[in-house]
Structure formats: structure tokens, C-alpha cells
Amino acid sequence: MNASPLISRRSFLVSGVTAGAVLASGVGVGRARPRGLDPAPAPFSLGIASGEPGPQSVVLWTRLAWDALHGGGMPAAPVPVQWEIAADEGMRRIVRRGVTIAWPESAHSVHVRVAGLEPDHWYWYRFRTRHDESPTGRTRTLPAPGSSPRRLRFAFVSCQDFENGYYPALYNLAREDVDFVIHLGDYIYEGGPTAGLPRQHNGPEIVTLEDYRNRHALYKSDASLQAVHAAFPMIATWDDHETENDYAAAVSEDPAQPPDVFLVRRAAAYRAYWEHMPLTRAQKPEGPDTLLYRRFRWGRLAEFNILDTRQYRSDQPCGDGLTVPCPAQLDPAATMTGPEQERWLLEGLADSEARWNVIAQQVMMMQANFGPAAQVPRLFNMDAWDGYVAARNRILGFLLHGRPSNPVVPTGDIHSSWVANLKADFDDPTSATVATELVGASISSDFPAQFVPAVQASLPANPHIRFFDGLRHGYVRCDVDRYRWRADFRTVSTILEPVAPVSTLASFVVESGRPGAVPA
Ligand code: FE
Ligand code: CA
């Protein structure tokens, strides 16, 4: 049958794209599919990526796979992969090139650290095997140490449950004008398939290295996720679902599971994460251990502390979950970061010469009483910093007394948008505001809709919380200069279609020297 104009229009509507969205996203009418909705062809079917930017270096990543969802489909032999990086999009002005080896032991992934680049420059890169060439990706270096860049734009994201919906948030993020993207975790989810959702997980709950590889491959098959990686370097850290829901160090969510058994699973999860992310070879896990917390500097404008709040934390107190206050919540021995990472963080903040000091991490740092305002008892989330009050007090106490310049805390995990002033004493609204927390909406994971009215009702009991939305999906776009930090909560109209319009739900500003967020 011929496609009449009516039918073409209908298929556009069916795919959830309105005329406005077509104009806004620059998608041309007359194309079968909007640009960027087809994943790359094999053997580069998992796309390309870059990360770990330095002033003169960046890591380039890809993984060869002919049958990505079933172990990769590659021969059990090393494969040479050529890479090149250029100063122009047309790949004419090549500045570095080389050959690396995709090893079967690493699922034929490659992690190339390219050095000798110019600070504060955009680059383009691609890979080639004997017969095939990858798509071209774009990346950039950080400004030179000690330089004073006037501006930084970046976005942060979290929680991209593949089953729960599509990634129109990432589709739109790939078209933003930002310097890099921070992923705060839940890059994959570990569960088995759930009937009735827009997409399905491949196979039951993942446990083995092979399982984790195939799950990463499923997520990486999404064209919008590939487009974000191809457009910007990504600085990534994990949360729980890259391994297992709510795990804590060597403690599984399943109380019956011995730590030594869980650590075998954790080793598989960490290994597959490394294989699929643009990390350095030095970050490759040794068994169940790897060093993922680290620091990035945007000249003297901003310093980013990227935390790992899963690998070293003490077990969630009081049986985990949302619960009434309990003594273990205040245990001074409890830790979210482990002592070494905590010392590293506080020393780094003390030594920092940056205008903005960013603590990018996973779970809500603010006190959040989920109990209805007028009612006792109060309810707290034991998986967040509310379960680790003494550890939080040590960090916020340092911010109060050590006074590092302009601390801002981007957070993921909770699948909803929040803005909060972090207080010296959350139970005393007149106490000092020491930092600003920005909690980003998820890419596709849901906040339970039935909790939204309860949270809204609890807001009067949480006067330091300035904004909450529990229904929308998206990302937070930040625009930072020496005088102010602007955060735009960019949300999409639906996750039931791969392409949907994005708009700014709310914008907040933090003025340099004045901790706390105000509506823009
Ligand atoms: Fe999540
Ligand atoms: Ca999480």
C-alpha cells in the first residue's frame, strides 16, 4: 500500500512526535526515522564512547560484537583495532592515531587513553577493524590546570531502567550544548523481565559475568544512549543496580547470602561495568574491588569530586527501607564512603582552589522526612544519607567550619527531582545553609506515583526542601560561571516513545558566596 500523507502523519502521531517536537528537535519530515534512532552497525553495535577527560588526555571506548546480546559473537582471539582522533569533524586533521588490541578476556572491549592533546579543545574520534569502521564520536579535554575558564556547561543523569520506558531524555540530551555528562548510576538494572512494560530485559536476574555483559549490551543497544556517548565525554560512577539493589559493600540485599558469595557476583558486575564504560585500564577491577572515586577540575572554576557510595558503605541500618527513626541511624561508626574516601574528600575540599566544589554522588544527602507533616512518627530512607547521619554530619560539619568555596551536591537514585538547602542542623531552619543539593529526575525509572501526594504533604515538615517533582523524567543541565550556577530541570513529556519534546520544568540559581538555591 502507498503511504498517503494521512498515514505518514498518523505514524508520526503514533510514534509520539508532535509537529512542535519535530521543529524543536530539528528532525526532518520525510525521513523514515528521526536521526539518531538507529544503533550503530556491527561490529560497533554497542556504539562508541569517551570519558575520563584530562587537560591533555581522554579515554576512547568501544566494544566489538557481532552478536551483542548473546556473548558478543566474536572469535576467541585478540583483534587489532585502529583508532584515530582528529581536530575536525570530517576527520581530516588527525592529531593522534594508533592500534590497540580488543582481548576476548575483556569481551573485546577497548579502552584507549589518548595523551598529548590540547587543553580545552573538542576532538572527534573513530575506530576501525580490518573491514569495518565505527561511527565518529566527539569528545573534549578539560581546561588547563590553573586556568580561569569563564563558563562550564554540563548535564547530570541517573537511573535508566530499560524496561520502564524509552530514552527520549537522552535523545534530547544528545542535542544539548554541554561540555560533558555525569552519570550518577543505575546505568543498568539487574532484574529479570517484567511483563507489561514498554521494553523487556533479556533473561532473568543477572548474576554471572556473561549475564552482566549481555545486560550492558542490551542497554548499550539503545540509539539515544549511543548518541549521548557519541556527543560528549561521560564521567560515570555507579550506584546499586549495576550490581544488585541496595547492596552495601559485601552485604547483599538477600540477608541469607554470605559475603564471600556476594563478592563473586560483585566482581562480575564490576568487571562488566568496566568493560562497557569509557574508563582507563588502571580502573579495571581486581576481583571485587576497584577505585572509582576520583576528581576532575574545570580549571579554577569548578572541581568535581565523583563519589562511590556503594563499595565501602556499612550496611543500611534498621532493616533498610523507609522506616521510623532508630538508634542505628545515628551510629558514629556507620559510613557511606568508607574512611579512606571520606578523608580523600575532605582533604580535597580543604585544598581546593576552585570557585565551585562539586560533590557528585548517588543517594539523597538532605534530611528528608517522608512522614506527613503534622504527624509523628517521622519516616526516613535508610539507603540514603538519612541512614548514615553521623557520616553526613562529618561532611556537612566540614563544609560549615572548613568553608570550601560554594559546595554543590548533584544526586541521583530516587527517580524524582528535588532542590534542597543542606543545613548545619536540619531540625533548626535558622541554622546555616552549608551547601546546595540538586537531585535529578531519572532518565526512565519511576518514582512510585502513589508516594507523590505523601511527599508533597511532607514538604512543610522539610522547609529546607525547595522543590520536588515525582512524575517526570529527564536530566539536569547546569550552566556555571564565576558568579552563579544555574540548574535547569529538563523533562520530557513521556517515556512511552523514543522521541518526545523536552522542556524546562524548573530552574534554580545558586549565587557564588550564598549557599542555597533560589528560583531562577
Ligand atoms: Fe535507580
Ligand atoms: Ca539506586
Side-chain angles (χ1 to χ4, degrees), residues 159 184-186 189 239-242 245-246 310 362-363 383 412-415:
C159 296
L184 294 173
D186 291 357
Y189 282 75
D239 193 21
D240 51 342
H241 287 287
E242 285 88 350
N245 179 54
D246 277 13
R310 286 289 162 192
Q362 291 77 15
V363 292
D383 185 56
D413 176 60
I414 193 156
H415 311 168

Side-chain angles (χ1 to χ4, degrees), residues 322-325 329 368-372 375 377-382 386:
L322 201 61
T323 175
V324 297
Q329 216 186 340
N369 170 15
F370 287 86
Q375 234 171 285
R378 312 202 292 174
L379 290 176
F380 295 109
N381 176 8
M382 294 299 118
D386 272 335

Side-chain angles (χ1 to χ4, degrees), residues 1 23 44 67 95 104 114 142 167 196 237 349 372 384 418 439 496 506 517:
M1 259 179 63
L23 291 174
F44 298 100
D67 189 5
V95 295
V114 183
L142 303 179
Y167 298 158
T237 183
L349 290 169
W418 308 64
V439 184
L496 299 178

Side-chain angles (χ1 to χ4, degrees), residues 296-327:
F296 297 87
R297 294 185 182 89
W298 192 262
R300 292 161 68 106
L301 181 61
E303 185 159 308
F304 289 80
N305 301 279
I306 310 292
L307 302 196
D308 172 356
T309 60
R310 286 289 162 192
Q311 191 175 178
Y312 316 101
R313 67 154 85 189
S314 47
D315 196 15
Q316 291 91 344
C318 320
D320 201 2
L322 201 61
T323 175
V324 297
C326 62

